[in-house]
Amino acid sequence: MTEPLVGLGFDVHAFAPGRPLMLGGVRFDAQEGLVGHSDGDVVCHALADALLGAVALGDLGEHVPETDPAFAGIGGLDLLGRVVGVVVRTAGAHPVSADLTIIAERPSIAPVRDAMRRALCGTLGVPTERVSVKATRPEGLGLTGDGIGCLALVVLARS
């Protein structure tokens, strides 16, 4: 592999009653969702920002503006797939690996971790052993307010 490209992304959204909760492309039953012009999937958003950052292509808001009605309600995996396409076309780079940390008091991530990894790997085009999904609770310290956040680190290689 040539010199790796590394990107860091972060996203956080507040809870929004009446919306489904989507994280990493996985729907959580009986959970309130997150505020957002899209489906509010902070995992996919943080990962998309990390990809764009690795190749210095700005941030998610530049490529998928929340003022554009064409992106209203877009699914996190669809959004992530668009960003992967932009990174490959514009920068000639492809994902190699990703490390994600979800920051949330609720829900528990462990029961859906593998499903989340499979969904993200399918969109990134990497094997499951190259994507890590972890979670931590902020222990009431207010790090995410009344919502969920995600940190994402990615490694890319030039195609």
Side-chain angles (χ1 to χ4, degrees), residues 43-97:
V43 173
C44 289
H45 296 179
L47 191 49
D49 259 348
L51 289 165
L52 292 167
V55 291
L57 287 176
D59 65 22
L60 190 56
E62 294 176 51
H63 295 271
V64 185
E66 61 184 39
T67 55
D68 188 339
F71 299 117
I74 187 171
L77 291 176
D78 291 336
L79 184 147
L80 181 59
R82 286 175 179 261
V83 169
V84 170
V86 167
V87 167
V88 170
R89 280 192 314 276
T90 306
H94 62 274
V96 173
S97 65

Short mmCIF file of all heavy atoms in Angstrom, two decimals, residues 43-97:
data_model
loop_
_atom_site.label_atom_id
_atom_site.label_comp_id
_atom_site.label_asym_id
_atom_site.label_seq_id
_atom_site.Cartn_x
_atom_site.Cartn_y
_atom_site.Cartn_z
N VAL A 43 -23.70 7.42 12.81
CA VAL A 43 -22.58 6.53 12.48
C VAL A 43 -22.18 6.73 11.02
O VAL A 43 -21.00 6.95 10.71
CB VAL A 43 -22.95 5.05 12.76
CG1 VAL A 43 -21.86 4.11 12.27
CG2 VAL A 43 -23.22 4.86 14.25
N CYS A 44 -23.15 6.69 10.13
CA CYS A 44 -22.85 6.89 8.70
C CYS A 44 -22.35 8.30 8.44
O CYS A 44 -21.46 8.52 7.61
CB CYS A 44 -24.08 6.59 7.86
SG CYS A 44 -24.49 4.83 7.80
N HIS A 45 -22.90 9.30 9.15
CA HIS A 45 -22.48 10.69 8.95
C HIS A 45 -21.04 10.89 9.40
O HIS A 45 -20.24 11.53 8.69
CB HIS A 45 -23.40 11.64 9.71
CG HIS A 45 -24.81 11.63 9.24
ND1 HIS A 45 -25.78 12.40 9.82
CD2 HIS A 45 -25.43 10.92 8.26
CE1 HIS A 45 -26.93 12.19 9.21
NE2 HIS A 45 -26.74 11.29 8.27
N ALA A 46 -20.68 10.37 10.56
CA ALA A 46 -19.31 10.51 11.05
C ALA A 46 -18.33 9.81 10.11
O ALA A 46 -17.25 10.33 9.81
CB ALA A 46 -19.18 9.95 12.47
N LEU A 47 -18.71 8.64 9.63
CA LEU A 47 -17.86 7.89 8.71
C LEU A 47 -17.70 8.64 7.39
O LEU A 47 -16.59 8.73 6.84
CB LEU A 47 -18.46 6.50 8.50
CG LEU A 47 -17.65 5.45 7.79
CD1 LEU A 47 -16.24 5.34 8.33
CD2 LEU A 47 -18.36 4.11 7.87
N ALA A 48 -18.77 9.22 6.89
CA ALA A 48 -18.69 10.00 5.65
C ALA A 48 -17.78 11.20 5.83
O ALA A 48 -16.96 11.50 4.95
CB ALA A 48 -20.10 10.43 5.23
N ASP A 49 -17.90 11.90 6.95
CA ASP A 49 -17.02 13.05 7.21
C ASP A 49 -15.55 12.61 7.30
O ASP A 49 -14.66 13.31 6.82
CB ASP A 49 -17.42 13.75 8.51
CG ASP A 49 -18.22 15.02 8.25
OD1 ASP A 49 -18.28 15.49 7.10
OD2 ASP A 49 -18.77 15.56 9.23
N ALA A 50 -15.29 11.47 7.91
CA ALA A 50 -13.92 10.96 8.01
C ALA A 50 -13.36 10.65 6.62
O ALA A 50 -12.20 10.98 6.33
CB ALA A 50 -13.88 9.71 8.89
N LEU A 51 -14.18 10.05 5.75
CA LEU A 51 -13.73 9.76 4.38
C LEU A 51 -13.38 11.04 3.64
O LEU A 51 -12.33 11.13 2.98
CB LEU A 51 -14.83 9.01 3.63
CG LEU A 51 -15.09 7.57 4.06
CD1 LEU A 51 -16.42 7.09 3.51
CD2 LEU A 51 -13.96 6.66 3.63
N LEU A 52 -14.25 12.04 3.74
CA LEU A 52 -14.01 13.30 3.06
C LEU A 52 -12.77 14.00 3.63
O LEU A 52 -11.97 14.56 2.88
CB LEU A 52 -15.23 14.21 3.17
CG LEU A 52 -16.46 13.73 2.40
CD1 LEU A 52 -17.70 14.50 2.83
CD2 LEU A 52 -16.23 13.85 0.89
N GLY A 53 -12.60 13.93 4.95
CA GLY A 53 -11.45 14.56 5.57
C GLY A 53 -10.13 13.91 5.16
O GLY A 53 -9.12 14.60 5.01
N ALA A 54 -10.15 12.61 4.96
CA ALA A 54 -8.91 11.90 4.60
C ALA A 54 -8.34 12.38 3.27
O ALA A 54 -7.14 12.31 3.06
CB ALA A 54 -9.17 10.39 4.54
N VAL A 55 -9.20 12.88 2.40
CA VAL A 55 -8.74 13.36 1.09
C VAL A 55 -8.97 14.86 0.92
O VAL A 55 -8.96 15.38 -0.19
CB VAL A 55 -9.40 12.56 -0.06
CG1 VAL A 55 -8.89 11.13 -0.07
CG2 VAL A 55 -10.92 12.59 0.04
N ALA A 56 -9.20 15.56 2.05
CA ALA A 56 -9.35 17.02 2.07
C ALA A 56 -10.42 17.52 1.10
O ALA A 56 -10.22 18.49 0.38
CB ALA A 56 -8.00 17.69 1.80
N LEU A 57 -11.59 16.86 1.13
CA LEU A 57 -12.70 17.27 0.27
C LEU A 57 -13.82 17.95 1.06
O LEU A 57 -14.98 17.91 0.67
CB LEU A 57 -13.27 16.05 -0.49
CG LEU A 57 -12.41 15.52 -1.62
CD1 LEU A 57 -13.03 14.27 -2.23
CD2 LEU A 57 -12.19 16.58 -2.69
N GLY A 58 -13.47 18.57 2.18
CA GLY A 58 -14.48 19.30 2.94
C GLY A 58 -15.25 18.40 3.88
O GLY A 58 -14.73 17.39 4.36
N ASP A 59 -16.49 18.76 4.12
CA ASP A 59 -17.32 17.99 5.05
C ASP A 59 -18.63 17.58 4.40
O ASP A 59 -18.94 17.98 3.27
CB ASP A 59 -17.53 18.75 6.36
CG ASP A 59 -18.34 20.03 6.20
OD1 ASP A 59 -19.08 20.18 5.21
OD2 ASP A 59 -18.23 20.89 7.08
N LEU A 60 -19.38 16.81 5.13
CA LEU A 60 -20.62 16.24 4.63
C LEU A 60 -21.61 17.32 4.20
O LEU A 60 -22.28 17.19 3.18
CB LEU A 60 -21.23 15.34 5.70
CG LEU A 60 -22.41 14.47 5.30
CD1 LEU A 60 -22.06 13.60 4.10
CD2 LEU A 60 -22.84 13.63 6.47
N GLY A 61 -21.69 18.40 4.97
CA GLY A 61 -22.62 19.49 4.64
C GLY A 61 -22.36 20.12 3.29
O GLY A 61 -23.28 20.64 2.66
N GLU A 62 -21.13 20.09 2.81
CA GLU A 62 -20.81 20.63 1.49
C GLU A 62 -21.31 19.73 0.37
O GLU A 62 -21.68 20.20 -0.69
CB GLU A 62 -19.30 20.81 1.34
CG GLU A 62 -18.71 21.86 2.26
CD GLU A 62 -17.20 21.91 2.13
OE1 GLU A 62 -16.68 22.00 1.01
OE2 GLU A 62 -16.55 21.85 3.20
N HIS A 63 -21.29 18.42 0.60
CA HIS A 63 -21.66 17.46 -0.43
C HIS A 63 -23.12 17.04 -0.37
O HIS A 63 -23.70 16.65 -1.38
CB HIS A 63 -20.75 16.23 -0.33
CG HIS A 63 -19.33 16.54 -0.62
ND1 HIS A 63 -18.80 16.50 -1.89
CD2 HIS A 63 -18.33 16.94 0.20
CE1 HIS A 63 -17.53 16.85 -1.84
NE2 HIS A 63 -17.21 17.12 -0.58
N VAL A 64 -23.70 17.10 0.82
CA VAL A 64 -25.11 16.72 1.02
C VAL A 64 -25.74 17.79 1.91
O VAL A 64 -25.98 17.57 3.10
CB VAL A 64 -25.22 15.32 1.68
CG1 VAL A 64 -26.67 14.88 1.77
CG2 VAL A 64 -24.40 14.29 0.93
N PRO A 65 -25.99 18.97 1.35
CA PRO A 65 -26.50 20.08 2.17
C PRO A 65 -27.90 19.80 2.70
O PRO A 65 -28.76 19.30 1.97
CB PRO A 65 -26.49 21.27 1.22
CG PRO A 65 -26.39 20.72 -0.15
CD PRO A 65 -25.79 19.35 -0.05
N GLU A 66 -28.11 20.13 3.97
CA GLU A 66 -29.43 19.89 4.56
C GLU A 66 -30.47 20.86 4.03
O GLU A 66 -31.65 20.69 4.29
CB GLU A 66 -29.36 19.90 6.07
CG GLU A 66 -28.90 21.18 6.69
CD GLU A 66 -28.78 21.06 8.20
OE1 GLU A 66 -28.34 20.02 8.70
OE2 GLU A 66 -29.14 22.04 8.86
N THR A 67 -30.05 21.84 3.27
CA THR A 67 -31.00 22.76 2.64
C THR A 67 -31.53 22.22 1.32
O THR A 67 -32.47 22.78 0.76
CB THR A 67 -30.33 24.13 2.40
OG1 THR A 67 -29.15 23.91 1.62
CG2 THR A 67 -29.97 24.80 3.71
N ASP A 68 -30.94 21.15 0.83
CA ASP A 68 -31.35 20.57 -0.45
C ASP A 68 -32.46 19.55 -0.23
O ASP A 68 -32.23 18.51 0.38
CB ASP A 68 -30.14 19.91 -1.11
CG ASP A 68 -30.43 19.44 -2.54
OD1 ASP A 68 -31.61 19.25 -2.90
OD2 ASP A 68 -29.46 19.26 -3.29
N PRO A 69 -33.67 19.82 -0.74
CA PRO A 69 -34.78 18.89 -0.52
C PRO A 69 -34.54 17.51 -1.15
O PRO A 69 -35.17 16.54 -0.75
CB PRO A 69 -35.98 19.59 -1.17
CG PRO A 69 -35.45 20.74 -1.94
CD PRO A 69 -34.05 21.01 -1.49
N ALA A 70 -33.62 17.41 -2.09
CA ALA A 70 -33.33 16.11 -2.71
C ALA A 70 -32.78 15.11 -1.70
O ALA A 70 -32.86 13.90 -1.91
CB ALA A 70 -32.34 16.29 -3.86
N PHE A 71 -32.20 15.62 -0.60
CA PHE A 71 -31.61 14.73 0.40
C PHE A 71 -32.49 14.54 1.63
O PHE A 71 -32.08 13.88 2.58
CB PHE A 71 -30.23 15.25 0.81
CG PHE A 71 -29.26 15.30 -0.34
CD1 PHE A 71 -28.73 16.51 -0.75
CD2 PHE A 71 -28.89 14.15 -1.00
CE1 PHE A 71 -27.84 16.56 -1.82
CE2 PHE A 71 -28.00 14.19 -2.06
CZ PHE A 71 -27.48 15.40 -2.48
N ALA A 72 -33.69 15.09 1.61
CA ALA A 72 -34.60 14.94 2.75
C ALA A 72 -34.90 13.46 2.98
O ALA A 72 -35.32 12.75 2.07
CB ALA A 72 -35.88 15.71 2.53
N GLY A 73 -34.62 12.99 4.19
CA GLY A 73 -34.91 11.61 4.55
C GLY A 73 -33.96 10.57 3.99
O GLY A 73 -34.18 9.37 4.17
N ILE A 74 -32.88 10.98 3.32
CA ILE A 74 -31.95 10.01 2.73
C ILE A 74 -31.41 9.08 3.82
O ILE A 74 -31.11 9.50 4.93
CB ILE A 74 -30.79 10.72 1.99
CG1 ILE A 74 -29.92 9.69 1.23
CG2 ILE A 74 -29.95 11.55 2.93
CD1 ILE A 74 -28.89 10.31 0.30
N GLY A 75 -31.31 7.81 3.49
CA GLY A 75 -30.78 6.82 4.42
C GLY A 75 -29.28 6.97 4.60
O GLY A 75 -28.57 7.36 3.67
N GLY A 76 -28.81 6.67 5.80
CA GLY A 76 -27.39 6.80 6.11
C GLY A 76 -26.49 6.01 5.18
O GLY A 76 -25.44 6.50 4.76
N LEU A 77 -26.87 4.78 4.84
CA LEU A 77 -26.04 3.97 3.96
C LEU A 77 -26.02 4.54 2.54
O LEU A 77 -24.99 4.50 1.86
CB LEU A 77 -26.51 2.51 3.94
CG LEU A 77 -26.28 1.74 5.24
CD1 LEU A 77 -26.87 0.33 5.11
CD2 LEU A 77 -24.80 1.67 5.61
N ASP A 78 -27.16 5.09 2.09
CA ASP A 78 -27.19 5.73 0.77
C ASP A 78 -26.28 6.95 0.75
O ASP A 78 -25.53 7.16 -0.20
CB ASP A 78 -28.61 6.14 0.40
CG ASP A 78 -29.52 4.95 0.14
OD1 ASP A 78 -29.00 3.87 -0.22
OD2 ASP A 78 -30.74 5.11 0.28
N LEU A 79 -26.36 7.74 1.79
CA LEU A 79 -25.51 8.92 1.92
C LEU A 79 -24.03 8.51 1.94
O LEU A 79 -23.21 9.08 1.22
CB LEU A 79 -25.91 9.66 3.19
CG LEU A 79 -25.22 10.97 3.50
CD1 LEU A 79 -26.20 11.87 4.22
CD2 LEU A 79 -24.02 10.74 4.35
N LEU A 80 -23.71 7.51 2.74
CA LEU A 80 -22.34 7.02 2.83
C LEU A 80 -21.85 6.51 1.47
O LEU A 80 -20.73 6.78 1.05
CB LEU A 80 -22.24 5.92 3.88
CG LEU A 80 -20.86 5.31 4.13
CD1 LEU A 80 -19.86 6.36 4.57
CD2 LEU A 80 -20.97 4.19 5.17
N GLY A 81 -22.70 5.78 0.77
CA GLY A 81 -22.35 5.29 -0.56
C GLY A 81 -22.04 6.41 -1.53
O GLY A 81 -21.11 6.32 -2.34
N ARG A 82 -22.81 7.49 -1.46
CA ARG A 82 -22.55 8.66 -2.31
C ARG A 82 -21.17 9.24 -2.01
O ARG A 82 -20.43 9.59 -2.92
CB ARG A 82 -23.60 9.75 -2.09
CG ARG A 82 -24.93 9.45 -2.69
CD ARG A 82 -25.92 10.56 -2.29
NE ARG A 82 -27.22 10.32 -2.86
CZ ARG A 82 -27.68 10.91 -3.95
NH1 ARG A 82 -26.94 11.78 -4.60
NH2 ARG A 82 -28.88 10.63 -4.41
N VAL A 83 -20.83 9.33 -0.73
CA VAL A 83 -19.54 9.89 -0.34
C VAL A 83 -18.41 8.97 -0.78
O VAL A 83 -17.38 9.45 -1.27
CB VAL A 83 -19.50 10.19 1.17
CG1 VAL A 83 -18.09 10.51 1.64
CG2 VAL A 83 -20.44 11.34 1.50
N VAL A 84 -18.56 7.68 -0.63
CA VAL A 84 -17.53 6.74 -1.11
C VAL A 84 -17.31 6.98 -2.60
O VAL A 84 -16.16 7.06 -3.06
CB VAL A 84 -17.91 5.27 -0.84
CG1 VAL A 84 -16.97 4.32 -1.56
CG2 VAL A 84 -17.91 4.98 0.67
N GLY A 85 -18.38 7.15 -3.36
CA GLY A 85 -18.26 7.42 -4.79
C GLY A 85 -17.51 8.71 -5.09
O GLY A 85 -16.66 8.76 -5.98
N VAL A 86 -17.79 9.76 -4.33
CA VAL A 86 -17.10 11.04 -4.50
C VAL A 86 -15.61 10.88 -4.22
O VAL A 86 -14.77 11.37 -4.98
CB VAL A 86 -17.72 12.13 -3.57
CG1 VAL A 86 -16.82 13.36 -3.49
CG2 VAL A 86 -19.10 12.51 -4.05
N VAL A 87 -15.28 10.19 -3.15
CA VAL A 87 -13.87 10.00 -2.76
C VAL A 87 -13.13 9.19 -3.82
O VAL A 87 -12.02 9.55 -4.22
CB VAL A 87 -13.78 9.32 -1.37
CG1 VAL A 87 -12.37 8.84 -1.07
CG2 VAL A 87 -14.26 10.28 -0.29
N VAL A 88 -13.75 8.14 -4.33
CA VAL A 88 -13.11 7.31 -5.34
C VAL A 88 -12.93 8.10 -6.64
O VAL A 88 -11.84 8.13 -7.22
CB VAL A 88 -13.92 6.02 -5.59
CG1 VAL A 88 -13.41 5.27 -6.81
CG2 VAL A 88 -13.87 5.11 -4.36
N ARG A 89 -14.01 8.78 -7.08
CA ARG A 89 -13.94 9.53 -8.35
C ARG A 89 -13.00 10.73 -8.27
O ARG A 89 -12.20 10.96 -9.16
CB ARG A 89 -15.33 10.03 -8.75
CG ARG A 89 -16.22 9.02 -9.40
CD ARG A 89 -17.46 9.67 -10.02
NE ARG A 89 -18.12 10.63 -9.16
CZ ARG A 89 -19.00 10.35 -8.21
NH1 ARG A 89 -19.32 9.09 -7.99
NH2 ARG A 89 -19.57 11.29 -7.50
N THR A 90 -13.13 11.51 -7.22
CA THR A 90 -12.41 12.78 -7.13
C THR A 90 -10.97 12.61 -6.68
O THR A 90 -10.07 13.27 -7.21
CB THR A 90 -13.14 13.74 -6.16
OG1 THR A 90 -14.50 13.86 -6.58
CG2 THR A 90 -12.50 15.11 -6.12
N ALA A 91 -10.74 11.76 -5.70
CA ALA A 91 -9.40 11.64 -5.12
C ALA A 91 -8.69 10.35 -5.51
O ALA A 91 -7.53 10.17 -5.14
CB ALA A 91 -9.49 11.74 -3.60
N GLY A 92 -9.36 9.46 -6.19
CA GLY A 92 -8.72 8.21 -6.57
C GLY A 92 -8.30 7.37 -5.38
O GLY A 92 -7.27 6.71 -5.39
N ALA A 93 -9.10 7.40 -4.32
CA ALA A 93 -8.77 6.66 -3.10
C ALA A 93 -9.92 5.74 -2.74
O ALA A 93 -11.08 5.99 -3.10
CB ALA A 93 -8.50 7.62 -1.96
N HIS A 94 -9.61 4.66 -2.03
CA HIS A 94 -10.65 3.73 -1.60
C HIS A 94 -10.45 3.38 -0.12
O HIS A 94 -9.31 3.38 0.38
CB HIS A 94 -10.65 2.47 -2.46
CG HIS A 94 -9.38 1.70 -2.37
ND1 HIS A 94 -8.29 1.98 -3.16
CD2 HIS A 94 -9.01 0.67 -1.57
CE1 HIS A 94 -7.31 1.15 -2.85
NE2 HIS A 94 -7.71 0.35 -1.89
N PRO A 95 -11.55 3.08 0.58
CA PRO A 95 -11.44 2.72 1.99
C PRO A 95 -10.65 1.43 2.19
O PRO A 95 -10.76 0.49 1.41
CB PRO A 95 -12.90 2.51 2.42
CG PRO A 95 -13.72 3.21 1.39
CD PRO A 95 -12.94 3.13 0.12
N VAL A 96 -9.86 1.42 3.26
CA VAL A 96 -9.10 0.23 3.65
C VAL A 96 -9.64 -0.30 4.98
O VAL A 96 -9.83 -1.49 5.14
CB VAL A 96 -7.60 0.54 3.77
CG1 VAL A 96 -6.83 -0.64 4.34
CG2 VAL A 96 -7.04 0.95 2.42
N SER A 97 -9.87 0.62 5.94
CA SER A 97 -10.38 0.20 7.24
C SER A 97 -11.07 1.37 7.94
O SER A 97 -10.88 2.53 7.55
CB SER A 97 -9.25 -0.34 8.13
OG SER A 97 -8.33 0.69 8.43
#
